[in-house]
Amino acid sequence: MENSGNDITEAVRKLTEKLRRFKNSEPEGIRTEPLRKESIIQQKIKETEESMRKKTAGIYRGYMSPLDTFGPDSQRASAVLRDTDELLKAYKLYKAVMEASKPLSDNDVYLSHIEIETPLSKNESYTTGGMFIYLQLWLIFEQCVEDYIPVMVQEQGGRYHLSFESLQSHYFSSQEKELLASVKNTFYLIKKV
């Protein structure tokens, strides 16, 4: 019997030693689990950002080259060409009025704002749908405009009109800045080889 007591003691000692070694070791699965979760999250963020860049590029490509993107007989291409033409006319009108007013203006007497009527201000995709940023980007990048940027201004009663602001002092939201950077990086930066 004495011998079996020693066997049990020995077995308990060995088990205790194994548990101590196990506790002191860092099993691979446990140690790397937080890193895997973090890398999965990072991968999801990266995939989401890439998806947004592709979506932005696809939409903007339609404004850059509507005939190539939508086809020459497409109603969508015709609508985009009409919208960009209207925006360019409004910009030229605004700029002409501002230039004409310069000799007659001083610190006390000047034009404070100009309201421009255009079908763009009746188009919900531009007034409330978030698509107006693509027209703004088209004007900045495709027409190389550096002085004024178009803005949609909501009037009392819910109507909108088109106006312009100084591009240097215009406030872009963080989402608009992301779109601007994405379009610039995708289409207008010269890639280093």
Side-chain angles (χ1 to χ4, degrees):
M1 270 250 167
E2 214 175 284
N3 196 13
S4 80
N6 285 339
D7 288 342
I8 293 173
T9 306
E10 184 63 24
V12 169
R13 187 188 65 74
K14 285 181 180 180
L15 180 61
T16 304
E17 180 62 25
K18 279 185 181 182
L19 289 173
R20 185 186 60 74
R21 282 194 317 254
F22 179 76
K23 185 177 177 183
N24 290 335
S25 71
E26 292 184 12
E28 287 298 313
I30 293 173
R31 185 177 49 153
T32 60
E33 185 64 26
L35 295 176
R36 275 197 294 174
K37 283 182 182 177
E38 187 175 294
S39 67
I40 290 170
I41 291 169
Q42 289 297 329
Q43 183 63 29
K44 292 284 186 192
I45 291 170
K46 186 177 178 181
E47 289 171 3
T48 302
E49 288 173 349
E50 184 60 29
S51 173
M52 289 303 296
R53 275 193 291 277
K54 285 181 181 180
K55 181 180 177 186
T56 298
I59 293 170
Y60 184 73
R61 188 174 285 109
Y63 285 89
M64 246 177 67
S65 54
L67 296 176
D68 293 337
T69 303
F70 303 115
D73 298 328
S74 165
Q75 289 182 345
R76 180 69 181 130
S78 297
V80 169
L81 288 170
R82 184 177 53 251
D83 293 349
T84 54
D85 185 53
E86 288 173 4
L87 184 67
L88 190 56
K89 285 179 187 175
Y91 167 75
K92 288 178 179 179
L93 175 63
Y94 180 83
K95 190 166 179 169
V97 170
M98 294 304 287
E99 290 297 318
S101 73
K102 277 185 183 178
L104 303 172
S105 301
D106 61 23
N107 289 340
D108 296 324
V109 178
Y110 55 91
L111 288 174
S112 65
H113 71 279
I114 300 170
E115 295 178 7
I116 299 175
E117 289 298 322
T118 173
L120 298 173
S121 60
K122 294 169 184 66
N123 186 329
E124 285 185 14
S125 65
Y126 296 132
T127 58
T128 58
M131 296 299 288
F132 193 64
I133 182 67
Y134 292 99
L135 281 177
Q136 291 173 318
L137 296 176
W138 173 85
L139 193 64
I140 292 168
F141 292 122
E142 288 296 304
Q143 301 303 309
C144 302
V145 168
E146 297 178 344
D147 48 5
Y148 302 110
I149 187 167
V151 292
M152 282 291 176
V153 178
Q154 188 173 16
E155 302 169 1
Q156 285 184 335
R159 290 188 57 217
Y160 286 85
H161 68 265
L162 190 64
S163 190
F164 286 81
E165 296 178 353
S166 166
L167 180 58
Q168 285 69 35
S169 63
H170 178 71
Y171 172 78
F172 286 102
S173 70
S174 58
Q175 183 180 6
E176 290 171 333
K177 287 177 186 176
E178 288 177 20
L179 290 174
L180 191 147
S182 179
V183 165
K184 185 176 181 179
N185 290 335
T186 303
F187 297 105
Y188 299 103
L189 285 183
I190 298 172
K191 307 265 192 252
K192 294 181 182 179
V193 180

